[in-house]
Amino acid sequence: MALDTKSETRQFTVVGTRPLRPDGIDKVTGRARFGADMTAPGMLIGLVLRSPHAHAKIKRIDTSAAEAIPGVHAVVTRADFPVIGDNDFIADILDNCMAGEKALYDGHAVAAIAASSGAIARKALKLIKVDYEVLPHVTDVDAAMKPGAPVLHEGRANETVPEGMSSNVVARYEFGHGDIGAGLAGADRVLERTYRTEATHQGYIEPHACLAQMGPDGQADLWCCTQGQYMVRDTCAAILGLKQGQLRVTASEIGGGFGGKTTVFLEPVALALARKSGRPVKMVMTRSEVLRATGPTASSSIDIKLGMTKDGRITAGFAELRYQGGAYPGSPVEFGAMSAFAPYDLDHVKTVGWDVVTNRPKQAAYRAPGAPMAAFAVESAIDELAKGFGLDPLEVRLKNAAREGTRASYGVTYPAIGLEATLRRAKDHPHWTAPLGSNQGRGVACGFWFNFGGNTCVSMNIAPDGTVNVIEGNPDIGGSRASMSMMAAEELGISYDQVRTVIADTASLGLNDVTDGSRVTFAVGLATIEAARDAKREMCKRAAMVWGIEEDAVEWKDGAAHPAGPNAGSHPPMTLAEIAAIASNTGGPIAGHYEVNAEGAGVSFATHMVDTEVDPETGAVKILRYTVFQDAGKAVHPAYVEGQFQGGAVQGIGWALNEEYIYGADGTLQNAGFLDYRIPVASDLPMIDTVILEIPNPGHPYGVRGVGETSIVPPLATIANAVSAASGVRMADLPMSPPKVLAAIKGA
Amino acid sequence: MSRIHVTTTINGDPVEYLCDPEETLLDVLRDRLGLTGSKEGCGTGDCGACSVTMNGRLVCSCLVLGAEAEGAQIATIEGMAKGETLHPLQRKFIEHAALQCGICTPGILVAAKSLLERNPDPTEEEARYWLAGNLCRCTGYDKIIRAVMDAAAEMREAS
């Protein structure tokens, strides 16, 4: 369509404005219904019994005393779930939701109970007797790779892993091109350094919650907070042996996810309890359960070898990345290895990634999964070399920046991209030249994320009074209903207030992939625009029928059908409302549809800049000023784009400075609460300034790129580089908590 | 164990309920009275999502027993708007895009209202420290602080 090539010059009327979100009033009045806010008649309360051991064989589970308590209606263990065949992906999810032969981490579910009240369920839970044989454990990624380390599983390594390695090493990935040795030989200096990051949790404020019902006829209904109701349906159906069409999943309002709600934890257990008891079962996690048993991201250990000439050209980049993803294969090391050098145009580049299992909870996606750790290592190394040569770190990045036509380290050749634009804007920004005080330092770093498209299905219904409903299938996690309504209004030529977007359950709309990969504004937006075009074609057809002219002699502009070509001016235009009002007489209801497995998501780049002050007495790091420069393609609702930039930056600040999973010698998590797992609070932070760049994505009709994930990629290195500038010490281990920074300063 | 009979006032309405001695005010609000606007993010007083006021004092309702509400005046998010008219803080939160997922929003609004009742003209730093007990994981607090400051300015002009 001609419009697709015109996105750069198109004048928007609705897109780019800042209307009020449709769910705003519900969310400021307490009316919005989240996962734990639903009830059902006759509802039971479900609770999970969890392993107190990091690694233990489950020899026997005796549930008889618990089952004898009045008010207990069902107890389930792994024996209540079907055996999964050769589908490792599903088998691992089931094993994570309910342990089989072994408990693999502190907090691993071993049994669950449904009772008529929470008090009875808590009492009965204590009466379940589990006979454990405690096994040696390992929680550190480097320790887990050593020969002789305690082994979680045998036979899970795939064919990429060389013989003779620990069975905990389950996959190896390699990317790159050129000749690293030759590249390094051309450098004036080669930096070799190892970087480490701890696991951090997504930290959504809403714990996992669901309400399940299942009848003896096999029909089931599930209400839950999730990033993807279709994923929940398909996963639970596979685990429990249900038909996908018989299980209807409705997504509640979602209280944050950041990737952590792209899998299931409670849902199959609640369905199993509902099936066994014949009653609706509600389950809600405690914060401790969220931290112990749901996905944090991977911890990492990364070796970098980077060569640079004295004028700042990177001659070669090598990274070996080791990520532990908890008790099952699937750490995001592949994304780390693909993204590590993605912002740069390098002749010689190679990355090797190792996926490692340990006795920790199964990792779940966390905002640009795998990329922040890799960027921390690479961007820290670039900064250290640049500073060593006395070069401007922004100039060094500009000198090496990937552009349109660059062959990326992970194999693709980039179309139009925005990295250079973010760097130039950063260099021109007043922040870059603002004065600094004593013990203060400024840092910059870049970040990249792939972005995703995926399976998407949208319907658009035109009501008889000319108002419009967009029906989409992706939980709205940060204002996407507003963005869909805006794109629909833009395309139809009507006002934002005439459109209401709702999110369908799994039985009401075709498959939609989860809200992840920064895909929703891109892919659901694209499908919304195409569904609107479908509806416009139908409305033009109806107008043609009324006017007695050919369909293709009608065009849509400014919210109305107009006779075009030789018929131009022959009839007054018919507005959307006028066409809708007579739809019954011209062929029936009017709707638009679009289904796609979307490609062309358009990669995303950002540059971040921070000023920090390091207290030489305590080692505490204060964030003084922070500016995000990121390419949004086209910012549909700029306030929500800014919100994604700010939120990602602050999650990155937490990762850099405070947040970490701390394990005791016994392998149990020592800080399973918000008091000790400390995410940033308002008083830790300044305002987070944002600069939106708009380099249109050629793959979207309006030029939109996803924006949600890239913003968490640069902060780790940005802050480490600023701390280095402020204190003179290079921090290669995250988090940069006060004791670590103080020790580094004292040791320098 | 026998239940405790409590007579209290919630958002101006007289309310009576029976609760277990160990039951929190948050559980009473959510599970017995259907007031699910107050959220449980932690149950340990660390996140502020369950913030309510009790006799004008800002509390985490997960750290108050249901029995302690006897004779008290409780205010929750459900009582913040008057009919169709939103409180200026509620309106400014929507206008400034100060919420993304919205789970922390009720607690932050209750806490911010409590701040402005005590200090109608807070500095940015005072607002940040007052709200330090309310965790938000989506916004980075920027737009929340702007909304609070803007609402405060509007309320000062109106008064």
Side-chain angles (χ1 to χ4, degrees):
Chain A
M1 211 166 284
L3 189 60
D4 293 356
T5 59
K6 285 190 197 160
S7 54
E8 249 174 294
T9 52
R10 183 185 168 119
Q11 294 296 309
F12 293 101
T13 56
V14 182
V15 165
T17 64
R18 301 178 179 229
L20 305 183
R21 63 191 289 167
D23 52 325
I25 291 173
D26 282 352
K27 285 185 173 165
V28 299
T29 55
R31 290 208 299 259
R33 285 195 294 186
F34 289 87
D37 297 339
M38 187 62 100
T39 57
M43 182 178 88
L44 304 175
I45 300 298
L47 292 177
V48 173
L49 182 69
R50 298 183 181 280
S51 168
H53 305 296
H55 196 190
K57 187 160 188 267
I58 299 169
K59 293 166 75 176
R60 186 164 168 272
I61 302 177
D62 180 358
T63 61
S64 57
E67 283 166 316
I69 298 280
V72 171
H73 289 260
V75 180
V76 297
T77 65
R78 181 61 174 274
D80 293 276
F81 292 84
V83 174
I84 307 292
D86 54 2
N87 185 339
D88 283 346
F89 179 74
I90 292 294
D92 285 348
I93 294 174
L94 167 59
D95 200 66
N96 190 46
C97 292
M98 189 59 69
E101 292 176 3
K102 292 203 292 185
L104 293 166
Y105 56 90
D106 166 38
H108 198 166
V110 295
I113 206 159
S116 54
S117 76
I120 293 171
R122 278 190 291 277
K123 182 177 160 196
L125 208 61
K126 292 178 186 154
L127 299 176
I128 297 176
K129 295 190 192 75
V130 185
D131 189 4
Y132 292 105
E133 178 189 333
V134 177
L135 302 170
H137 67 272
V138 61
T139 55
D140 177 77
V141 62
D142 292 318
M145 291 181 76
K146 288 190 177 131
V151 167
L152 277 80
H153 317 274
E154 293 290 356
R156 291 303 302 274
N158 69 21
E159 66 288 350
T160 61
V161 178
E163 294 281 329
M165 298 191 79
S166 163
S167 300
N168 296 326
V169 181
V170 291
R172 178 184 185 279
Y173 300 92
E174 184 177 325
F175 299 94
H177 54 251
D179 178 342
I180 294 296
L184 292 175
D188 292 314
R189 192 182 156 206
V190 174
L191 175 74
E192 291 190 43
R193 200 182 266 290
T194 298
Y195 301 84
R196 291 188 180 82
T197 66
E198 235 325 321
T200 56
H201 196 276
Q202 295 82 350
Y204 33 81
I205 307 300
E206 181 199 31
H208 298 264
C210 65
L211 173 58
Q213 317 194 40
M214 197 188 308
D217 57 0
Q219 288 192 54
D221 283 278
L222 184 65
W223 160 274
C224 61
C225 59
T226 177
Q227 288 176 243
Q229 60 272 46
Y230 301 87
M231 170 280 298
V232 173
R233 177 193 70 180
D234 297 352
T235 308
C236 289
I239 286 175
L240 293 155
L242 307 174
K243 299 290 184 200
Q244 291 170 353
Q246 297 296 312
L247 170 59
R248 180 177 62 172
V249 182
T250 305
S252 70
E253 293 295 336
I254 176 170
F258 315 107
K261 292 176 184 168
T262 58
T263 184
V264 297
F265 298 101
L266 293 176
E267 292 84 351
V269 179
L271 283 165
L273 286 168
R275 176 157 68 184
K276 198 163 181 179
S277 66
R279 299 265 292 265
V281 175
K282 178 173 176 175
M283 302 186 80
V284 182
M285 280 195 191
T286 64
R287 178 55 52 184
S288 167
E289 287 181 290
V290 170
L291 288 164
R292 286 170 73 204
T294 72
T297 189
S299 63
S300 74
S301 166
I302 302 172
D303 299 333
I304 296 284
K305 247 186 250 183
L306 192 74
M308 194 182 280
T309 61
K310 57 181 184 296
D311 63 350
R313 175 67 190 154
I314 299 170
T315 60
F318 172 78
E320 183 161 356
L321 309 97
R322 299 168 292 273
Y323 288 15
Q324 69 74 29
Y328 304 88
S331 85
V333 73
E334 184 179 9
F335 287 154
M338 291 169 78
S339 66
F341 291 100
Y344 300 108
D345 182 3
L346 304 179
D347 294 331
H348 306 289
V349 59
K350 181 176 172 181
T351 58
V352 174
W354 299 98
D355 183 10
V356 183
V357 297
T358 66
N359 295 109
R360 295 193 187 209
K362 186 181 198 300
Q363 72 85 36
Y366 181 21
R367 205 169 198 157
M373 316 75 147
F376 166 61
V378 170
E379 295 288 322
S380 294
I382 291 174
D383 190 75
E384 189 171 352
L385 281 174
K387 278 184 184 148
F389 288 127
L391 300 171
D392 177 328
L394 285 175
E395 281 297 340
V396 167
R397 285 173 173 83
L398 274 166
K399 191 183 268 286
N400 295 283
R403 306 179 160 78
E404 183 168 358
T406 294
R407 184 182 170 204
S409 54
Y410 67 97
V412 306
T413 299
Y414 291 131
I417 57 172
L419 175 64
E420 211 177 341
T422 68
L423 284 162
R424 293 201 187 282
R425 186 64 71 84
K427 206 164 160 46
D428 292 341
H429 195 276
H431 185 169
W432 185 232
T433 48
L436 288 166
S438 55
N439 299 316
Q440 296 180 357
R442 180 165 297 140
V444 292
C446 296
F448 157 90
W449 185 244
F450 307 90
N451 288 339
F452 180 57
N455 290 297
T456 308
C457 181
V458 167
S459 281
M460 176 176 291
N461 299 325
I462 313 289
D465 69 354
T467 53
V468 174
N469 285 123
V470 176
I471 317 297
E472 53 128 328
N474 279 91
D476 176 354
I477 207 157
S480 59
R481 272 167 293 198
S483 296
M484 295 317 137
S485 293
M486 291 172 76
M487 285 186 267
E490 183 76 47
E491 192 61 32
L492 292 170
I494 60 176
S495 74
Y496 172 76
D497 298 337
Q498 281 178 266
V499 185
R500 183 174 180 188
T501 298
V502 300
I503 295 157
D505 62 60
T506 55
S508 304
L509 190 70
L511 175 73
N512 282 274
D513 285 339
V514 293
T515 296
D516 73 354
S518 302
R519 76 175 213 92
V520 173
T521 310
F522 165 72
V524 183
L526 182 152
T528 298
I529 292 165
E530 292 294 347
R533 290 174 178 176
D534 190 33
K536 286 195 298 188
R537 279 190 292 275
E538 182 62 23
M539 290 188 285
C540 285
K541 186 174 131 191
R542 303 294 178 92
M545 188 188 299
V546 171
W547 294 330
I549 62 176
E550 292 297 317
E551 274 176 58
D552 55 7
V554 178
E555 66 174 356
W556 190 269
K557 58 181 181 186
D558 302 328
H562 296 250
N567 301 301
S570 63
H571 302 278
M574 287 184 77
T575 65
L576 183 147
E578 287 166 347
I579 296 168
I582 58 164
S584 293
N585 303 326
T586 58
I590 299 170
H593 303 278
Y594 196 70
E595 297 83 30
V596 68
N597 188 352
E599 294 181 357
V603 297
S604 165
F605 292 92
T607 299
H608 287 200
M609 189 180 295
V610 72
D611 296 349
T612 61
E613 183 169 311
V614 180
D615 184 336
E617 302 289 319
T618 63
V621 177
K622 186 161 180 59
I623 305 292
L624 302 170
R625 184 173 183 179
Y626 203 105
T627 311
V628 176
F629 306 86
Q630 188 177 320
D631 173 21
K634 175 67 198 172
V636 176
H637 192 308
Y640 287 107
V641 172
E642 293 161 5
Q644 292 298 316
F645 291 5
Q646 292 163 336
V650 168
Q651 286 186 320
I653 290 169
W655 198 338
L657 296 181
N658 301 318
E659 297 176 35
E660 61 179 319
Y661 265 49
I662 301 170
Y663 281 93
D666 62 354
T668 61
L669 185 61
Q670 304 293 292
N671 58 334
F674 272 145
L675 187 62
D676 299 316
Y677 183 91
R678 189 178 180 285
I679 72 172
V681 302
S683 55
D684 294 335
L685 298 162
M687 292 298 184
I688 307 295
D689 295 328
T690 57
V691 177
I692 300 173
L693 284 297
E694 293 189 325
I695 291 84
N697 169 21
H700 185 278
Y702 295 170
V704 169
R705 296 175 197 271
V707 297
E709 291 170 288
T710 308
S711 52
I712 201 174
V713 181
L716 282 52
T718 306
I719 296 163
N721 294 342
V723 167
S724 167
S727 68
V729 294
R730 176 57 57 181
M731 299 301 298
D733 285 289
L734 298 187
M736 294 175 276
S737 52
K740 270 200 242 174
V741 173
L742 191 62
I745 294 171
K746 300 282 184 209
Chain B
M1 203 181 302
S2 64
R3 288 187 174 164
I4 297 168
H5 177 261
V6 175
T7 305
T8 187
T9 305
I10 301 178
N11 301 325
D13 295 334
V15 174
E16 287 181 59
Y17 55 82
L18 291 173
C19 69
D20 293 328
E22 75 278 13
E23 203 169 327
T24 67
L25 176 60
L26 178 62
D27 287 341
V28 169
L29 291 171
R30 289 182 54 83
D31 299 340
R32 294 195 185 277
L33 305 177
L35 294 170
T36 55
S38 303
K39 305 300 181 189
E40 179 161 337
C42 67
T44 51
D46 298 314
C47 80
C50 66
S51 296
V52 302
T53 60
M54 185 165 167
N55 299 325
R57 182 179 165 208
L58 181 64
V59 295
C60 289
S61 60
C62 72
L63 297 184
V64 175
L65 291 172
E68 292 179 272
E70 175 67 34
Q73 294 279 340
I74 307 291
T76 72
I77 187 64
E78 285 89 350
M80 200 159 167
K82 297 299 170 219
E84 282 198 321
T85 309
L86 297 180
H87 187 280
L89 278 163
Q90 292 174 308
R91 193 158 34 76
K92 290 297 179 188
F93 265 58
I94 301 175
E95 286 173 15
H96 283 268
L99 56 126
Q100 286 180 30
C101 80
I103 193 86
C104 71
T105 308
I108 292 187
L109 285 168
V110 168
K113 181 166 177 275
S114 176
L115 165 66
L116 299 187
E117 282 164 3
R118 284 162 179 74
N119 180 358
D121 192 8
T123 64
E124 182 193 328
E125 189 170 20
E126 285 169 338
R128 286 186 178 277
Y129 274 86
W130 183 272
L131 294 175
N134 291 83
L135 301 181
C136 168
R137 191 59 157 173
C138 294
T139 65
Y141 305 100
D142 181 300
K143 292 181 188 300
I144 290 174
I145 298 297
R146 288 178 201 277
V148 171
M149 301 300 281
D150 193 17
E154 185 185 290
M155 288 166 70
R156 285 197 303 277
E157 268 179 37
S159 64

